[in-house]
């Protein structure tokens, strides 16, 4: 079975490493440090996870969510290291690499969560669209200030691990009136990398054989929308996404229970039948844990949250998901058995139904989306008058080099990089 060499994985776009004298860190330690010390990572402290930033200091933000995902990612590696075969252990990323992926996985998210993502995508339909994971690659591969041309200049394996959707953006439908989106739910983004960043994607996938790359980048059309769905991701990316799912499904559930947003009756209505259909041992454990979850005792609730995380961490397995690939990083993924995956999907859906989908949250999301629509329209109409000086210079350089499409991308970079608080202040300043 073909496998890329360590040298291939540790390559950076800037060329051979220029480590400082006496720097004994590994490539993965350096990648983790670059993510951790980046401006994009710091901004996560003031970006919405589910509850709006500032509503309550207890709520998780994108920053605390990313820290929890990193800890879970490390736990997944530790479990597979002790329970997996010798071959599976050779697949595992270094713990520093895993933490780098989990810490960086959300840095492309704009202000106001997925609502803000949809608003920016609508405004960018004529200029290549917008999607959070695509923006993450753009930040680490182009925008951050570690390297003049290559952003954080991360290693190839780290960049591959950040690609949840390793395909380019399809042609996007255009609205009849770009000032009136109507129902924004119609304009949710395609899950893909921006055409403007195709050079980064090409570099990441360059060492793969033609057959491996073709298989890895397969897509299928979605009947319910004009978008496509990429079918595969790398082994590292599957670990990162699983850690993200567990952190979202379990820890955001904790926020909902503690704040009273989700009560025991709602839980039972949504989860009762699913739990009854689990296998005997898992179902029995969940009946016990749900009692602890809604107990008045704080330590019992905390024990239930830890036990839920443990269910998923200790169930992780390595599965062959792309048998035709010769590169093991593409051929295998980290997965959960059927019942554990059903349970995790159930936790995510109960958070969506009783937290995200609540009218109060959706009203805030609606307001936030229209704030970003108005900000984009104002800056797009009078960029040289309204944009901050540094951003204005970047906008002008992009316009001179790539025309309106490039200028719109530079404007989108600016708005997507805002924190919730900054976007709100800027909106008040203009309107």
């Amino acid at each position: 079975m073909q496998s890329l060499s360590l040298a291939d994985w540790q390559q950076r776009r800037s060329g051979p490493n220029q480590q400082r004298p006496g720097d004994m860190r590994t490539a993965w330690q350096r990648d983790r440090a670059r993510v951790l010390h980046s401006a994009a990572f710091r901004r996560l402290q003031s970006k919405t996870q589910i509850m709006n930033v500032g509503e309550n200091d207890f709520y998780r933000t994108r920053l605390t969510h990313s820290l929890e995902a990193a800890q879970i990612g490390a736990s997944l590696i530790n479990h597979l290291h002790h329970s997996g075969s010798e071959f599976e252990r050779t697949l595992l990323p270094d713990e520093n690499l895993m933490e780098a992926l989990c810490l960086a996985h959300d840095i492309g998210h704009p202000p106001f969560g997925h609502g803000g993502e949809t608003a920016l995508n609508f405004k960018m339909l004529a200029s290549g669209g917008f999607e959070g994971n695509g923006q993450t690659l753009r930040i680490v591969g182009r925008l951050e200030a570690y390297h003049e041309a290559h952003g954080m200049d991360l290693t190839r394996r780290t960049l591959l691990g950040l690609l949840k959707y390793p395909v380019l953006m399809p042609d996007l439908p255009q609205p009849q009136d770009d000032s009136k989106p109507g129902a924004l739910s119609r304009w949710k983004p395609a899950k893909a990398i921006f055409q403007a960043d195709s050079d980064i994607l090409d570099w990441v996938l360059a060492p793969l054989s033609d057959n491996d790359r073709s298989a890895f980048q397969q897509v299928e059309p979605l009947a319910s929308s004009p978008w496509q769905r990429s079918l595969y991701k790398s082994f590292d990316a599957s670990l990162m996404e699983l850690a993200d799912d567990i952190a979202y499904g379990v820890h955001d559930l904790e926020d909902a229970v503690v704040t009273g947003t989700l009560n025991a009756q709602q839980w039972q209505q949504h989860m009762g039948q699913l739990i009854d259909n689990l296998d005997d041992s898992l179902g029995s454990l969940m009946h016990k844990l749900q009692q602890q979850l809604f107990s008045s005792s704080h330590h019992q609730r905390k024990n239930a949250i830890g036990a839920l995380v443990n269910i998923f961490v200790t169930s992780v397995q390595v599965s062959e998901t792309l048998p035709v690939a010769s590169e093991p990083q593409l051929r295998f993924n980290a997965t959960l058995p059927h019942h554990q995956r059903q349970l995790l999907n159930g936790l995510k859906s109960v958070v969506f139904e009783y937290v995200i989908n609540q009218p109060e949250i959706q009203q805030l999301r609606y307001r936030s989306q229209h704030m970003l629509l108005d900000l984009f329209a104002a800056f797009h109409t009078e960029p040289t008058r309204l944009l901050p000086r540094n951003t204005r210079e970047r906008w002008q350089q992009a316009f001179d080099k790539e025309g309106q499409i490039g200028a719109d991308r530079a404007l989108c970079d600016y708005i997507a990089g805002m924190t919730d608080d900054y976007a709100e202040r800027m909106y008040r300043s203009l309107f």
Side-chain angles (χ1 to χ4, degrees):
M1 184 181 297
Q2 173 192 338
S3 180
L4 298 189
S5 69
L6 183 62
D8 288 324
W9 287 128
Q10 292 187 342
Q11 272 190 319
R12 302 180 190 273
R13 291 188 80 198
S14 62
N17 291 342
Q18 300 293 324
Q19 287 189 239
R20 298 181 180 94
D23 186 353
M24 305 300 292
R25 292 176 300 170
T26 67
W28 321 124
Q29 289 173 321
R30 295 175 69 198
D31 280 0
R32 179 183 181 277
R34 290 181 183 193
V35 171
L36 189 61
H37 295 292
S38 67
F41 180 72
R42 288 196 300 277
R43 292 190 189 105
L44 295 178
Q45 66 187 304
S46 190
K47 288 195 177 187
T48 295
Q49 172 66 6
I50 292 181
M51 311 290 190
N52 272 29
V53 171
E55 292 283 315
N56 187 312
D57 288 341
F58 177 82
Y59 296 153
R60 287 166 166 89
T61 65
R62 289 276 173 193
L63 180 67
T64 57
H65 163 75
S66 298
L67 293 170
E68 288 173 335
Q71 187 275 323
I72 292 170
S75 297
L76 290 169
I77 291 178
N78 182 64
H79 179 75
L80 286 172
H81 179 78
H82 286 93
S83 66
S85 66
E86 182 177 351
F87 169 72
E88 290 172 349
R89 287 194 288 273
T90 67
L91 281 175
L92 295 176
D94 178 271
E95 189 171 311
N96 291 283
L97 170 55
M98 188 73 253
E99 290 192 6
L101 297 178
C102 292
L103 293 173
H105 82 279
D106 266 354
I107 62 174
H109 268 284
F112 310 123
H114 289 291
E117 182 184 44
T118 301
L120 284 183
N121 182 58
F122 175 76
K123 284 298 185 181
M124 287 294 292
L125 287 171
S127 300
F130 179 83
E131 194 275 328
N133 190 247
Q135 189 70 11
T136 293
L137 182 69
R138 185 168 174 81
I139 289 170
V140 301
R142 197 179 302 281
L143 299 181
E144 272 287 346
Y146 286 86
H147 189 276
E148 183 178 6
H150 304 310
M152 294 187 198
D153 195 28
L154 302 178
T155 59
R156 174 176 278 112
R157 182 163 175 175
T158 301
L159 291 177
L160 180 66
L162 287 172
L163 293 175
K164 291 173 67 174
Y165 318 108
V167 296
L168 290 176
M169 193 72 73
D171 292 334
L172 302 174
Q174 303 301 303
Q176 293 182 344
D177 183 350
D178 64 6
S179 66
K180 297 179 180 179
L184 272 167
S185 58
R186 297 166 51 207
W187 306 108
K188 290 181 179 180
K191 304 297 186 180
I193 304 304
F194 309 136
Q195 293 283 348
D197 299 319
S198 61
D199 58 324
I200 305 175
L201 181 62
D202 284 341
W203 182 83
V204 174
L205 303 182
L208 300 176
S209 70
D210 291 343
N211 288 338
D212 275 11
R213 178 167 178 171
S214 177
F216 184 54
Q217 293 190 287
Q218 289 181 73
V219 298
E220 67 176 8
L222 298 179
S224 58
S225 77
W227 315 131
Q228 64 191 19
R229 181 171 74 94
S230 60
L231 297 177
Y232 302 105
K233 59 181 66 68
S234 71
F235 179 73
D236 293 350
S238 70
L239 275 168
M240 175 267 286
E241 189 169 49
L242 182 54
D244 181 26
D245 280 354
I246 296 170
Y248 167 64
V250 178
H251 291 302
D252 290 341
L253 170 68
E254 182 181 15
D255 276 3
V257 173
V258 171
T259 58
T261 312
L262 174 69
N263 60 43
Q265 182 179 359
Q266 293 167 327
W267 165 274
Q268 185 60 36
Q269 288 174 347
H270 195 90
M271 295 291 292
Q273 185 174 354
L274 187 154
I275 291 173
D276 288 342
N277 290 333
L278 297 174
D279 63 56
D280 291 344
S281 60
L282 183 57
S284 176
L285 176 59
M286 282 306 303
H287 280 294
K288 176 183 177 183
L289 293 181
Q290 66 185 2
Q291 293 178 358
Q292 295 182 2
L293 187 62
F294 293 96
S295 167
S296 59
S297 169
H298 293 305
H299 77 270
Q300 285 198 39
R301 182 177 61 244
K302 205 65 184 176
N303 178 71
I305 293 298
L308 283 171
V309 173
N310 185 67
I311 287 172
F312 304 119
V313 168
T314 57
S315 300
V316 64
Q317 58 191 17
V318 176
S319 302
E320 189 178 53
T321 52
L322 186 56
V324 298
S326 56
E327 166 53 49
Q329 272 291 319
L330 309 187
R331 186 168 183 169
F332 297 94
N333 272 190
T335 62
L336 291 176
H338 175 69
H339 285 285
Q340 283 80 359
R341 172 47 70 179
Q342 276 193 318
L343 176 59
L344 183 53
N345 289 345
L347 297 183
K348 291 167 62 180
S349 68
V350 79
V351 170
F352 176 82
E353 182 59 34
Y354 292 106
V355 183
I356 299 173
N357 210 30
Q358 287 302 298
E360 296 83 1
I361 297 294
Q362 289 302 315
Q363 289 162 11
L364 284 171
R365 178 172 288 191
Y366 180 87
R367 172 180 176 272
S368 302
Q369 286 177 316
H370 283 268
M371 285 170 54
L372 290 193
L373 292 174
D374 289 344
L375 282 176
F376 193 103
F379 290 133
H380 184 269
T381 302
E382 298 198 64
T384 59
R385 179 185 179 195
L386 299 178
L387 286 172
R389 188 172 301 275
N390 288 343
T391 306
R392 186 191 315 166
E393 292 174 0
R394 289 194 293 272
W395 180 93
Q396 190 66 58
Q397 290 171 1
F399 184 84
D400 292 344
K401 184 178 180 181
E402 305 169 61
Q404 190 61 55
I405 289 178
D408 284 351
R409 183 60 64 188
L411 172 55
C412 187
D413 289 339
Y414 170 58
I415 296 177
M418 293 179 177
T419 64
D420 295 14
D421 293 337
Y422 183 87
E424 185 111 26
R425 289 197 304 272
M426 182 60 73
Y427 183 84
R428 286 201 304 267
S429 176
L430 290 177
F431 299 103

